[in-house]
Structures are given as structure tokens and as C-alpha cells.
Amino acid sequence: MRWYGWKPYVPVAVRRKRALKKMEKLRKKGHDIKPVEIEGRKIARTFWGEAWCEHLESFSDYENRLPRGRTYVRNGSVCHLDIARGEVNAMVNGSELYTVKVTIKTLARNKWEDVKKRCAGQIGSLLELLQGRLSRDVMSVVTDRARGLFPLPGEIRLQCSCPDWAVMCKHVMAALYGVGARLDEAPELLFLLRGVDHEDLISAEVGVAVAASETKGGRRRIAEDALADVFGIEMSEDVKPARTRPSPRQEKAAPKAKKAPKVAVKQTAKPKAKVRRKRTQAQKTSVGPKRASQAASRARPVTGRTVARLRAKFGMSQSEFARLLGVSAPSVVNWEKKSGALDLQARSLAAWNEAKNLTKTQAWGKLHAS
């Protein structure tokens, strides 16, 4: 340290190199390191990420630290960021590697019920919700400054290990911007952070679908397109009509065809030579690819345990795994609860056979591409 008390300037590249070494040491010790990586100058590109960043920038309390926070998150200084229920933990590289903790109050129950009530009947599917393909009315509900999903300044508590006297330092601001970038990849983390289940919004949709479909006699019935989500089952696509048996009158009315007279034909009996081909040992052991796949499927049936195991291998939630297979989230929930072999539809079985051969990276790549 120099005589006037300030440390010598260290270039960003040198600091990043030091931080990467520390992160590598932590990774070797078994820590799951999740850095925030941003391409270009735009921090967030999707609806949920942009909405989070715009919400932060709407508060004057954070105005002074916004530029430095943006600079830090763009140059890769947020070496690790983890979002859990009610808190965000991060490691931000500055003059040293600082630890940041942001505690956020979970969404009040009455507030969440109000959000669900105002969004009911306006969200098409879970995929549309997570991809941000929402109507203007729903967007205005979830981004409402006072009654929406995003936290108010009074609901946020900030901590940083840096020597800066300000509560909102540049390292904390970089971590908050990092949350916006992370929501681009996994928007369901916002609901986890606020302590609510995003699938409740879809459950409200199903309730509206049930209530809206009524018969003329006043009895309620479930709409056909909502059956799968209500019961967590798969509807068969093609159903063959049952064959109707003719009535006794129709059978009597139908004229019976006259039998043709039998004509005796003499045939010379020729002894059939029984020829058996001896199969080689290679032919006996070889099995066609179709039979091999059928035998493999019989030997390794799909069970609730194997579904949960593959989902854990990919590190996905039940809703993410459902999107990967192209089924509803309640279907995955019911599969994992069942014991014994699962009776999957042909489409779901084909998606399962394709997914089980993927690596974790390939599975996430396919999920983001869908």
C-alpha cells in the first residue's frame, strides 16, 4: 500500500485471471460454480430478464451504482451466482474476490393470490409463460411495481464483504444485474426467488377451462384440451370407432348366400420334402435391430424411479423435464409417484428413448432450442 493509502491499480484482465484461479480451487473442492457470462453489451434479452433490469433501474436509490454494476457484470466480474428461495448468493471480483448476499422477502400469500386472479384465463401454456409470450394485460400484472412479482426496495436486504461504506455497492449491483442475465436462461428462478410455484398460474388456467365448459343442462364438464393438465395423463391421439353389431331384425332381413355345389377334384398327392436349413451359430445369436430394441425395452421398463433419476442427471425441474419430453408437468409428477412400469403413449415413449441417450449439455441445448 502506498503512503497516501490507496492500493496500486490492477488491470481487469489480471484480476479476472486471479478470480478464475480461486474459482477453480473451489470447483475442485466440490462447489458448484455458476458464473454469469454475457455476450455483447446487452445484459438481458428476454422478457423476464429485461423486466427485472428495468424494475431495478426504476428505483432512485440504486441510480448512483447502476453504471458501475453494469460494467462489472459485462466484463465477467460476477464469477458465481446462485438463486435460491428468498436469497441470492454471489462472488464478485473487484480488487479482491468479494462475497455478496442479497436477501429478498418471499411474495406475500394475498399478493400471489391477487396475481393469479388477475392472470386467470390469459396464459395459454407453461411454455408461453416461461418464454414470456404473454398478453399486455398479463405483462402489466407481473411487472406491476407495487402488486407484481418483482420485489420492492424495502423487501431487499444487501450484504457485501467489500470495504465500501455504501450498502448498495458496485459488487451488489453487479450481482443484481446478474440475476437479470440468469433469468434469460431460467425464468422459473424468479418464482423460486419469490417463494411461489409458477405452475400455480397454469392451474388457474385449468380451473377457468373447467368452469367455462358447461353442458346445456347446467352440468360442468372439463374441456377436452384441459384433460391432460387436470389429471396429469396423456390423451391418445387416434381412437378407432367401436364396431356396432347388427340388430336381430337386420340379420334376419339379410338374404343368406347360397352355397356353391361342391365339385370333386382329384389331386395327386405329392410328398412334401421337409427341408431344414441349419442355422450357423452366428445366425442363432444375431438378433435384428427391431427385436433388440424391443427386448431392451422389455428388459429395462420405464419406471417412476428411472424418470426421476434421468431428471436429476440433467439437473432439471419437473416442469423443465416436461418441456424436454413435450408433455405436461403434471404427467411427470404422476410418473415419478407411480411404482412399477409406466404405460406410456407411443409419442412419450419415443421422446423418452431419445432423451435418455442425451448428455446433460445436449439436453439443456435441446430445451433452450425448443
Side-chain angles (χ1 to χ4, degrees):
M1 185 179 291
R2 297 183 182 179
W3 65 272
Y4 47 82
W6 296 101
K7 293 182 179 180
Y9 173 75
V10 180
V12 176
V14 177
R15 284 184 285 171
R16 284 194 64 186
K17 191 174 181 180
R18 292 176 184 173
L20 289 175
K21 287 183 179 179
K22 292 181 180 179
M23 291 295 101
E24 191 60 32
K25 288 181 181 179
L26 292 174
R27 189 178 280 108
K28 288 181 179 179
K29 291 181 180 179
H31 294 276
D32 186 13
I33 303 301
K34 304 173 184 177
V36 176
E37 299 175 348
I38 296 175
E39 297 180 1
R41 292 188 56 80
K42 198 167 184 179
I43 297 173
R45 300 177 184 276
T46 66
F47 164 74
W48 292 109
E50 289 178 347
W52 172 271
C53 295
E54 289 173 3
H55 182 74
L56 293 177
E57 293 168 357
S58 67
F59 298 110
S60 58
D61 300 351
Y62 304 160
E63 188 175 359
N64 294 334
R65 298 292 180 171
L66 291 176
R68 296 300 300 277
R70 285 194 290 263
T71 301
Y72 266 57
V73 75
R74 283 176 184 144
N75 64 25
S77 295
V78 183
C79 303
H80 168 70
L81 188 137
D82 182 59
I83 300 175
R85 178 186 171 90
E87 65 178 25
V88 177
N89 294 288
M91 293 183 183
V92 182
N93 185 36
S95 302
E96 298 178 7
L97 192 62
Y98 299 114
T99 303
V100 175
K101 183 175 182 179
V102 180
T103 306
I104 297 177
K105 288 184 179 180
T106 56
L107 197 64
R109 185 174 180 179
N110 58 346
K111 203 172 181 180
W112 176 234
E113 293 295 331
D114 180 57
V115 170
K116 290 195 294 182
K117 184 178 179 180
R118 290 189 289 159
C119 290
Q122 302 184 63
I123 302 175
S125 66
L126 184 64
L127 185 63
E128 290 182 6
L129 173 66
L130 296 181
Q131 289 184 349
R133 292 185 288 157
L134 307 172
S135 64
R136 290 185 179 180
D137 292 337
V138 176
M139 287 182 181
S140 63
V141 170
V142 297
T143 60
D144 189 285
R145 180 169 175 173
R147 301 168 59 193
L149 295 176
F150 300 113
L152 296 169
E155 298 175 325
I156 304 175
R157 187 181 302 171
L158 311 171
Q159 295 177 3
C160 183
S161 60
C162 74
D164 195 337
W165 58 270
V167 177
M168 173 57 76
C169 64
K170 53 196 173 185
H171 313 108
V172 170
M173 198 67 233
L176 290 176
Y177 270 119
V179 172
R182 188 58 51 83
L183 293 182
D184 272 2
E185 304 170 3
E188 63 272 12
L189 291 178
L190 172 62
F191 298 88
L192 173 65
L193 181 62
R194 299 311 313 273
V196 295
D197 188 359
H198 59 283
E199 294 183 5
D200 288 350
L201 292 175
I202 308 303
S203 300
E205 293 296 314
V206 174
V208 171
V210 173
S213 179
E214 295 186 357
T215 61
K216 293 181 180 180
R219 293 182 180 179
R220 292 187 176 185
R221 63 177 181 177
I222 302 172
E224 293 180 1
D225 55 354
L227 280 172
D229 291 328
V230 172
F231 296 105
I233 60 175
E234 298 174 52
M235 304 300 297
S236 58
E237 297 174 357
D238 300 324
V239 179
K240 294 183 179 180
R243 298 178 64 183
T244 58
R245 186 176 180 180
S247 62
R249 292 183 179 178
Q250 291 175 345
E251 289 180 351
K252 291 180 180 179
K256 294 183 179 179
K258 294 182 180 181
K259 296 182 179 178
K262 296 182 179 179
V263 179
V265 179
K266 291 184 179 181
Q267 294 180 352
T268 56
K270 293 182 180 180
K272 294 181 180 179
K274 296 182 179 179
V275 181
R276 285 189 178 181
R277 293 181 180 179
K278 292 185 179 180
R279 293 190 301 172
T280 62
Q281 188 66 24
Q283 288 175 333
K284 291 181 181 179
T285 55
S286 64
V287 183
K290 187 176 181 180
R291 291 184 179 180
S293 62
Q294 291 175 351
S297 63
R298 285 196 296 268
R300 293 188 297 273
V302 184
T303 63
R305 185 174 295 180
T306 56
V307 172
R309 192 179 300 160
L310 183 63
R311 184 173 63 83
K313 173 187 172 183
F314 294 158
M316 295 181 179
S317 64
Q318 290 175 332
S319 60
E320 291 169 339
F321 193 66
R323 287 166 51 198
L324 178 67
L325 296 182
V327 299
S328 63
S331 295
V332 176
V333 174
N334 287 340
W335 290 350
E336 295 186 357
K337 287 180 180 179
K338 289 182 180 178
S339 58
L342 300 176
D343 185 16
L344 302 182
Q345 297 290 336
R347 183 179 61 181
S348 301
L349 185 60
W352 165 264
N353 290 330
E354 183 182 355
K356 70 180 182 180
N357 295 322
L358 299 176
T359 63
K360 183 176 181 180
T361 305
Q362 291 172 341
W364 279 102
K366 182 179 178 181
L367 181 65
H368 293 319
S370 60

